[in-house]
Amino acid sequence: MKLTTILWSLLVMTSLLISACYYDVEEELYPSGTCDTANMSFSQDVMPIFNQNCNICHSASAAQGNVILDTYDAVLPYVNNGKLLGSIRHQGGFSAMPQGQPQLSTCTIDKIAAWITDGAMNN
Ligand code: HEC
């Protein structure tokens, strides 16, 4: 084999390895099947997400954009008008949230979506 061929193979193999590692990391973060979205509770699962990621801007005292997400009654209108999911999924026509920060993890978004699919209950 020519030296250049060997070098090229090495280069290809290295880049394959690097991309394999990249995907491994994503799978480690969100392996399929380990995101438990069963029986989501507003108080136990959903509210802590808002408190951690949103309510520095969306508590009653901050209320940026007039959006308040610190009680069930305040959150419900944004469930019903689609803005909550639209914004955290970064869908067109909605402001991407959390503003100025990376998108929530897929698992976190799935948990909120599952709570909504289950009827968005005050549980
Ligand atoms: C750094 C401050 C900040 C954070 C953190 C933040 N928001 Fe917002 N949010 C805003 C501002 C300002 C607006 C109003 C202006 C706009 O729509 O861009 C807004 C608007 C919204 C709207 C209305 C969107 C629309 O299209 O009308 C929703 C729903 C919302 N935020 C949900 C959230 C959720 C859920 C989180 C957490 C995952 C979050 N926000 C985190 C600042 C923030």
Side-chain angles (χ1 to χ4, degrees):
M1 239 195 294
K2 277 195 295 180
L3 182 61
T4 46
T5 316
I6 295 169
L7 286 176
W8 268 114
S9 325
L10 275 176
L11 194 70
V12 168
M13 272 158 51
T14 313
S15 54
L16 280 178
L17 269 177
I18 289 170
S19 61
C21 288
Y22 177 76
Y23 289 114
D24 281 354
V25 170
E26 279 214 334
E27 274 165 21
E28 238 166 63
L29 286 172
Y30 317 118
S32 55
T34 62
C35 181
D36 187 2
T37 59
N39 305 314
M40 286 295 108
S41 144
F42 180 74
S43 57
Q44 300 298 308
D45 301 299
V46 178
M47 202 57 219
I49 298 172
F50 294 153
N51 284 336
Q52 199 180 333
N53 300 285
C54 318
N55 287 346
I56 189 160
C57 299
H58 293 303
S59 68
S61 51
Q64 291 204 22
N66 273 330
V67 177
I68 300 176
L69 301 173
D70 63 2
T71 64
Y72 175 79
D73 288 342
V75 168
L76 203 57
Y78 296 99
V79 171
N80 292 330
N81 66 18
K83 287 188 173 183
L84 182 62
L85 277 184
S87 67
I88 61 175
R89 283 180 168 157
H90 293 190
Q91 285 169 353
F94 302 96
S95 305
M97 294 290 145
Q99 195 181 69
Q101 285 164 46
Q103 189 170 23
L104 299 176
S105 76
T106 307
C107 183
T108 304
I109 295 172
D110 287 350
K111 282 174 188 274
I112 296 172
W115 168 72
I116 294 173
T117 305
D118 290 347
M121 287 183 295
N122 190 3
N123 54 357

